[in-house]
Amino acid sequence: MDAVQDRPSDRPSVHIEATGVEKRYGGVRALRGVDLSIRRGEVHALVGENGAGKSTLGKILAGSVSADGGRILVNGRPVRYRRPSDARKDGIAIIDQELATLSHRTVLENVFLGSHHARLGMVSRRQQFEDFDRLVEEYGFSGLDPRAIAGDLRVADQQRVEILRALARSSELIVMDEPTAPLSRREVEQLHGVIRSLKAQGTSIVFVSHFLDEVLEITDTVTVMKDGQRVRTSATADETKDSLVLGMLGRSLDSVFPEKRVAHTGDTVLAVEGLSRQGVLKDVGFTVRAGEIVGLGGLVGSGRTETLRAVFGADAVDAGTIAVAGKPVTHRSPADAMKNGLALVPESRKSQGLLMGRSIHENIVLPALGRISPGGIIRSRRESQRIEEMIRELGIKLGRSTDPVSTLSGGNQQKVAIAKWLVDVPRLLMIDEPTRGVDIGAKASIYKVLRALADEGMAILLVSSELEELLGLSDRVYVMSRGRLVEEFTGDLESQEEAVLTAAFA
Ligand SMILES: Nc1ncnc2c1ncn2[C@@H]1O[C@H](COP(=O)(O)OP(=O)(O)OP(=O)(O)O)[C@@H](O)[C@H]1O
Ligand SMILES: [Mg+2]
């Protein structure tokens, strides 16, 4: 395999020493004089609100962004990386928050992209297949077809390709920027296993995550960031979830989930019966009432996203009926569904949700444009107000709303992806993994907004792989397995966690 074969034990115990790191994006000070010390072989967490500067810091360490000021020592030597390949020479790799898989290339090509032997073009395909198998075997990462086209993979598998790429380079330090956000429970466990074995081999890991339980479980050291500054660095063992939240937000959160309503007597907004699609969905039937948040649970690949897409007219179906507010409808396209008052916030904001090069404002008004006067630019005052309201309610942290969406931090992009569907208040909001990559404070505010919308009479259909979220937010839950709805859960959902999990594995 590539690169850094020998790891002299006389390497300094401090792997990276950064002092006074500065980064400015126009008027935004993303990092202000950050000091950070990474010990060799430790798993070092970076936590903080959306926009705190975690990704910027990670990218600077990995050479994909250059700092404006400060000093960075790697293995005791001063470095000034201009591009990722500079950092790669020092054995530093990054698994980016916004996935960087080449969508038209195969899994194999993606994994060995930029690897030493791939660059020389001297290694046979067969050798690469063998190396691939060895990697997958060593880290227990089975189930990926090396010949598959990366763009066809679901998000979680693309994430695994990125992880394999960093592993293939035998990196000495890997920056993992929210690596577990798109993964299922089992895949998260797998990745934790990978991290443990990397650590045992002496690899240092910088681990960015909004899952504080995971941070507490898997990391040795944690650095809390806020507004581009380091708040503190401590031994993970000395922190608790509450102490981290307090450090990140500057306040504590007493309850993340809003109170549920007791009774649901609203009219049925969506009634689905016998929805089927060859190999994907089998006889799926359910209802969502006005004022209700209904959760769809199940493993990744169980048909949850496919159900939303079928209802929304994004995918054709072989059989089944859909009624909206009691009227049978046929959705041949999302435009049909939108006319009937449906909205869908998709799972992957990058490929389906947002136009990265367009402004924040344009992205938010986009779904509404179809219904706006010719020319499309004239917006009613009410709409402009609504946009301002959404930005405020969701706590979207931005410079100017005319800046491109790509300049926002990952979590703030997610909030824009949600806001854009709320300008025209839909009758039914379908939302797929709404808080992926969102900090815990913002999660709480997204939950509050969703609950408030339901209280105003909106029907909400939620897909979430985070069990805590699914059970904490929903009024009622259906669990899917292999394309079927296997069970419905009502009542006190939080006490039924085990049963929900069992159903998911049915
Ligand atoms: N390419 C860019 N152009 C302009 N501003 C940027 C760019 N990248 C990041 N920023 C800004 O820098 C700040 C820090 O962003 P960063 O992505 O580092 O945050 P983060 O802590 O990783 O947040 P998240 O948890 O949402 O991923 C934010 O205010 C963000 O909008
Ligand atoms: Mg980030």
Side-chain angles (χ1 to χ4, degrees), residues 351-376:
S351 60
Q352 302 158 21
L354 296 176
L355 299 174
M356 286 293 165
R358 306 286 284 274
S359 75
I360 298 158
H361 198 107
E362 283 173 298
N363 268 282
I364 296 180
V365 296
L366 205 67
L369 280 185
R371 273 175 303 289
I372 293 169
S373 54

mmCIF file of all heavy atoms in Angstrom, residues 351-376:
data_model
loop_
_atom_site.group_PDB
_atom_site.id
_atom_site.type_symbol
_atom_site.label_atom_id
_atom_site.label_comp_id
_atom_site.label_asym_id
_atom_site.label_seq_id
_atom_site.Cartn_x
_atom_site.Cartn_y
_atom_site.Cartn_z
ATOM 1 N N SER A 351 -26.656 17.285 -3.412
ATOM 2 C CA SER A 351 -27.027 16.845 -4.746
ATOM 3 C C SER A 351 -28.485 17.150 -5.082
ATOM 4 O O SER A 351 -28.844 17.300 -6.230
ATOM 5 C CB SER A 351 -26.748 15.353 -4.906
ATOM 6 O OG SER A 351 -27.498 14.642 -3.968
ATOM 7 N N GLN A 352 -29.360 17.241 -4.063
ATOM 8 C CA GLN A 352 -30.776 17.397 -4.370
ATOM 9 C C GLN A 352 -31.385 18.650 -3.788
ATOM 10 O O GLN A 352 -32.397 19.130 -4.265
ATOM 11 C CB GLN A 352 -31.560 16.202 -3.806
ATOM 12 C CG GLN A 352 -31.089 14.886 -4.329
ATOM 13 C CD GLN A 352 -31.492 13.764 -3.383
ATOM 14 O OE1 GLN A 352 -32.402 13.899 -2.577
ATOM 15 N NE2 GLN A 352 -30.800 12.654 -3.463
ATOM 16 N N GLY A 353 -30.751 19.179 -2.746
ATOM 17 C CA GLY A 353 -31.430 20.223 -2.007
ATOM 18 C C GLY A 353 -31.110 21.641 -2.439
ATOM 19 O O GLY A 353 -32.006 22.453 -2.636
ATOM 20 N N LEU A 354 -29.830 21.935 -2.594
ATOM 21 C CA LEU A 354 -29.434 23.325 -2.744
ATOM 22 C C LEU A 354 -28.625 23.559 -4.017
ATOM 23 O O LEU A 354 -27.926 22.679 -4.492
ATOM 24 C CB LEU A 354 -28.573 23.747 -1.552
ATOM 25 C CG LEU A 354 -29.259 23.730 -0.185
ATOM 26 C CD1 LEU A 354 -28.254 24.067 0.905
ATOM 27 C CD2 LEU A 354 -30.424 24.688 -0.145
ATOM 28 N N LEU A 355 -28.740 24.779 -4.544
ATOM 29 C CA LEU A 355 -27.877 25.202 -5.642
ATOM 30 C C LEU A 355 -26.724 25.963 -5.010
ATOM 31 O O LEU A 355 -26.882 27.095 -4.561
ATOM 32 C CB LEU A 355 -28.646 26.111 -6.603
ATOM 33 C CG LEU A 355 -29.843 25.440 -7.256
ATOM 34 C CD1 LEU A 355 -30.654 26.445 -8.073
ATOM 35 C CD2 LEU A 355 -29.377 24.288 -8.155
ATOM 36 N N MET A 356 -25.569 25.299 -4.946
ATOM 37 C CA MET A 356 -24.472 25.804 -4.137
ATOM 38 C C MET A 356 -23.951 27.172 -4.583
ATOM 39 O O MET A 356 -23.519 27.982 -3.786
ATOM 40 C CB MET A 356 -23.319 24.800 -4.133
ATOM 41 C CG MET A 356 -23.609 23.594 -3.293
ATOM 42 S SD MET A 356 -23.690 24.062 -1.551
ATOM 43 C CE MET A 356 -24.463 22.612 -0.876
ATOM 44 N N GLY A 357 -23.984 27.414 -5.902
ATOM 45 C CA GLY A 357 -23.421 28.658 -6.409
ATOM 46 C C GLY A 357 -24.365 29.853 -6.262
ATOM 47 O O GLY A 357 -23.953 31.005 -6.384
ATOM 48 N N ARG A 358 -25.655 29.558 -6.019
ATOM 49 C CA ARG A 358 -26.642 30.645 -5.916
ATOM 50 C C ARG A 358 -26.709 31.167 -4.490
ATOM 51 O O ARG A 358 -26.245 30.538 -3.555
ATOM 52 C CB ARG A 358 -28.019 30.122 -6.360
ATOM 53 C CG ARG A 358 -28.024 29.494 -7.732
ATOM 54 C CD ARG A 358 -27.932 30.525 -8.842
ATOM 55 N NE ARG A 358 -29.190 31.204 -9.051
ATOM 56 C CZ ARG A 358 -30.170 30.752 -9.836
ATOM 57 N NH1 ARG A 358 -30.060 29.602 -10.474
ATOM 58 N NH2 ARG A 358 -31.281 31.446 -9.976
ATOM 59 N N SER A 359 -27.293 32.332 -4.358
ATOM 60 C CA SER A 359 -27.303 32.971 -3.035
ATOM 61 C C SER A 359 -28.254 32.264 -2.075
ATOM 62 O O SER A 359 -29.133 31.503 -2.479
ATOM 63 C CB SER A 359 -27.697 34.439 -3.162
ATOM 64 O OG SER A 359 -29.100 34.525 -3.388
ATOM 65 N N ILE A 360 -28.053 32.570 -0.826
ATOM 66 C CA ILE A 360 -28.898 32.022 0.233
ATOM 67 C C ILE A 360 -30.354 32.429 -0.035
ATOM 68 O O ILE A 360 -31.264 31.606 0.007
ATOM 69 C CB ILE A 360 -28.437 32.578 1.596
ATOM 70 C CG1 ILE A 360 -26.997 32.121 1.872
ATOM 71 C CG2 ILE A 360 -29.365 32.148 2.723
ATOM 72 C CD1 ILE A 360 -26.262 32.986 2.868
ATOM 73 N N HIS A 361 -30.533 33.699 -0.346
ATOM 74 C CA HIS A 361 -31.865 34.219 -0.609
ATOM 75 C C HIS A 361 -32.537 33.499 -1.782
ATOM 76 O O HIS A 361 -33.665 33.025 -1.679
ATOM 77 C CB HIS A 361 -31.781 35.723 -0.884
ATOM 78 C CG HIS A 361 -33.096 36.416 -0.750
ATOM 79 N ND1 HIS A 361 -33.389 37.238 0.309
ATOM 80 C CD2 HIS A 361 -34.199 36.370 -1.519
ATOM 81 C CE1 HIS A 361 -34.616 37.682 0.177
ATOM 82 N NE2 HIS A 361 -35.134 37.181 -0.925
ATOM 83 N N GLU A 362 -31.798 33.394 -2.883
ATOM 84 C CA GLU A 362 -32.366 32.712 -4.064
ATOM 85 C C GLU A 362 -32.755 31.282 -3.742
ATOM 86 O O GLU A 362 -33.790 30.799 -4.175
ATOM 87 C CB GLU A 362 -31.342 32.686 -5.207
ATOM 88 C CG GLU A 362 -31.195 34.000 -5.927
ATOM 89 C CD GLU A 362 -30.052 33.945 -6.924
ATOM 90 O OE1 GLU A 362 -28.906 33.734 -6.490
ATOM 91 O OE2 GLU A 362 -30.313 34.100 -8.125
ATOM 92 N N ASN A 363 -31.903 30.592 -2.978
ATOM 93 C CA ASN A 363 -32.217 29.217 -2.629
ATOM 94 C C ASN A 363 -33.504 29.118 -1.821
ATOM 95 O O ASN A 363 -34.284 28.202 -2.005
ATOM 96 C CB ASN A 363 -31.065 28.588 -1.855
ATOM 97 C CG ASN A 363 -30.089 27.877 -2.768
ATOM 98 O OD1 ASN A 363 -30.344 26.764 -3.224
ATOM 99 N ND2 ASN A 363 -28.991 28.539 -3.082
ATOM 100 N N ILE A 364 -33.684 30.061 -0.926
ATOM 101 C CA ILE A 364 -34.881 29.987 -0.083
ATOM 102 C C ILE A 364 -36.147 30.260 -0.898
ATOM 103 O O ILE A 364 -37.161 29.604 -0.705
ATOM 104 C CB ILE A 364 -34.782 30.953 1.129
ATOM 105 C CG1 ILE A 364 -33.624 30.512 2.035
ATOM 106 C CG2 ILE A 364 -36.082 30.964 1.922
ATOM 107 C CD1 ILE A 364 -33.427 31.383 3.265
ATOM 108 N N VAL A 365 -36.077 31.202 -1.854
ATOM 109 C CA VAL A 365 -37.314 31.513 -2.586
ATOM 110 C C VAL A 365 -37.566 30.563 -3.749
ATOM 111 O O VAL A 365 -38.667 30.537 -4.289
ATOM 112 C CB VAL A 365 -37.347 32.960 -3.150
ATOM 113 C CG1 VAL A 365 -37.344 33.957 -2.017
ATOM 114 C CG2 VAL A 365 -36.231 33.222 -4.110
ATOM 115 N N LEU A 366 -36.554 29.771 -4.104
ATOM 116 C CA LEU A 366 -36.667 28.943 -5.297
ATOM 117 C C LEU A 366 -37.953 28.131 -5.454
ATOM 118 O O LEU A 366 -38.608 28.223 -6.484
ATOM 119 C CB LEU A 366 -35.448 28.034 -5.384
ATOM 120 C CG LEU A 366 -35.106 27.565 -6.782
ATOM 121 C CD1 LEU A 366 -34.652 28.758 -7.623
ATOM 122 C CD2 LEU A 366 -34.010 26.533 -6.710
ATOM 123 N N PRO A 367 -38.351 27.345 -4.454
ATOM 124 C CA PRO A 367 -39.557 26.534 -4.653
ATOM 125 C C PRO A 367 -40.792 27.402 -4.862
ATOM 126 O O PRO A 367 -41.765 26.969 -5.464
ATOM 127 C CB PRO A 367 -39.686 25.753 -3.351
ATOM 128 C CG PRO A 367 -38.384 25.887 -2.676
ATOM 129 C CD PRO A 367 -37.767 27.162 -3.139
ATOM 130 N N ALA A 368 -40.757 28.638 -4.363
ATOM 131 C CA ALA A 368 -41.926 29.502 -4.460
ATOM 132 C C ALA A 368 -41.988 30.198 -5.810
ATOM 133 O O ALA A 368 -43.030 30.704 -6.211
ATOM 134 C CB ALA A 368 -41.892 30.539 -3.338
ATOM 135 N N LEU A 369 -40.868 30.202 -6.547
ATOM 136 C CA LEU A 369 -40.794 31.002 -7.768
ATOM 137 C C LEU A 369 -41.871 30.676 -8.782
ATOM 138 O O LEU A 369 -42.369 31.557 -9.467
ATOM 139 C CB LEU A 369 -39.423 30.841 -8.436
ATOM 140 C CG LEU A 369 -38.307 31.683 -7.811
ATOM 141 C CD1 LEU A 369 -37.037 31.540 -8.613
ATOM 142 C CD2 LEU A 369 -38.717 33.146 -7.724
ATOM 143 N N GLY A 370 -42.220 29.380 -8.857
ATOM 144 C CA GLY A 370 -43.217 28.958 -9.825
ATOM 145 C C GLY A 370 -44.515 29.737 -9.685
ATOM 146 O O GLY A 370 -45.229 29.945 -10.656
ATOM 147 N N ARG A 371 -44.808 30.143 -8.468
ATOM 148 C CA ARG A 371 -46.081 30.795 -8.222
ATOM 149 C C ARG A 371 -45.965 32.313 -8.128
ATOM 150 O O ARG A 371 -46.875 32.985 -7.729
ATOM 151 C CB ARG A 371 -46.699 30.238 -6.946
ATOM 152 C CG ARG A 371 -47.518 28.999 -7.210
ATOM 153 C CD ARG A 371 -48.017 28.394 -5.923
ATOM 154 N NE ARG A 371 -46.933 28.068 -5.018
ATOM 155 C CZ ARG A 371 -46.083 27.085 -5.226
ATOM 156 N NH1 ARG A 371 -46.170 26.357 -6.309
ATOM 157 N NH2 ARG A 371 -45.135 26.825 -4.376
ATOM 158 N N ILE A 372 -44.820 32.804 -8.514
ATOM 159 C CA ILE A 372 -44.635 34.247 -8.406
ATOM 160 C C ILE A 372 -44.791 34.885 -9.783
ATOM 161 O O ILE A 372 -44.512 34.269 -10.802
ATOM 162 C CB ILE A 372 -43.276 34.561 -7.764
ATOM 163 C CG1 ILE A 372 -43.309 34.092 -6.312
ATOM 164 C CG2 ILE A 372 -42.972 36.041 -7.834
ATOM 165 C CD1 ILE A 372 -41.970 34.095 -5.661
ATOM 166 N N SER A 373 -45.211 36.125 -9.775
ATOM 167 C CA SER A 373 -45.536 36.828 -11.021
ATOM 168 C C SER A 373 -44.431 36.707 -12.070
ATOM 169 O O SER A 373 -43.280 36.508 -11.733
ATOM 170 C CB SER A 373 -45.774 38.299 -10.707
ATOM 171 O OG SER A 373 -44.650 38.788 -10.004
ATOM 172 N N PRO A 374 -44.813 36.843 -13.368
ATOM 173 C CA PRO A 374 -43.856 36.676 -14.457
ATOM 174 C C PRO A 374 -42.583 37.469 -14.192
ATOM 175 O O PRO A 374 -42.646 38.584 -13.684
ATOM 176 C CB PRO A 374 -44.598 37.251 -15.666
ATOM 177 C CG PRO A 374 -46.038 37.179 -15.308
ATOM 178 C CD PRO A 374 -46.141 37.231 -13.833
ATOM 179 N N GLY A 375 -41.463 36.928 -14.589
ATOM 180 C CA GLY A 375 -40.205 37.581 -14.253
ATOM 181 C C GLY A 375 -39.625 36.924 -13.020
ATOM 182 O O GLY A 375 -38.428 36.758 -12.904
ATOM 183 N N GLY A 376 -40.519 36.507 -12.148
ATOM 184 C CA GLY A 376 -40.081 35.677 -11.039
ATOM 185 C C GLY A 376 -39.319 36.391 -9.946
ATOM 186 O O GLY A 376 -38.939 35.783 -8.962
#
